[in-house]
Amino acid sequence: MLFYEIKVNYQRQTGEDNPGNVKETYLVEGLTPADVEKRLLEHIKPFIFGDFEMPSCTKKQYFEMVTSPEADKWYKGRVELITIEDSGKETRKTVSLLVQATTAAHAMKNLTQAVNGYDCEIVSIARTPIMEVIRAVD
């Protein structure tokens, strides 16, 4: 399934009679940009108070998604998968994994566990602006 990273700007009720402008990023699973935009709008519609816009919708590809139910942040891990060809030549392919964690150290631990068994090297791990991942309904 494909994922799209969607940035949204809208007014949200932030306190008693106090609407505030928010900019948020969501990762939404779907087949087309129209499909994921509709799914996201349905998801956040109860929170919208006033203006709403989606300035960007970008296709994203992740090798794997590592979830952690108690975590509230998303990190992007970059890993180089290493293969040795029959000729003895080493090839490296860089892939991205999305890791849910509470801290960067927790994300590194989860990423390390996820790639255990692969011949690879962890290149980087960085916090993403993703607020939530919205999966397609079965």
Side-chain angles (χ1 to χ4, degrees), residues 91-105:
T91 59
R92 293 175 175 253
K93 177 182 178 184
T94 304
V95 296
S96 297
L97 288 84
L98 193 63
V99 182
Q100 190 176 23
T102 54
T103 64

Side-chain angles (χ1 to χ4, degrees), residues 34-48 52 54 134 137:
D35 178 41
V36 296
E37 287 175 3
K38 179 182 173 191
R39 183 174 292 125
L40 176 61
L41 186 55
E42 289 171 3
H43 185 77
I44 65 173
K45 194 174 192 174
F47 308 111
I48 297 172
F52 172 82
M54 286 186 208
I134 302 168
V137 178

Side-chain angles (χ1 to χ4, degrees), residues 4 11-12 16-17 43 51 60 65-66 81 94 111 123:
Y4 290 85
Q11 287 186 328
R12 180 180 199 147
E16 282 188 35
D17 300 324
H43 185 77
D51 295 337
K60 296 291 181 176
M65 188 176 297
V66 182
L81 298 175
T94 304
L111 179 59
V123 177

Side-chain angles (χ1 to χ4, degrees), residues 3 14 59 61-63 66 84-85 93 102 117 121 136 138:
F3 285 94
T14 57
K59 189 186 301 186
Q61 184 172 343
Y62 292 100
F63 180 72
V66 182
I84 307 294
E85 297 177 8
K93 177 182 178 184
T102 54
E121 182 179 317
D138 295 318

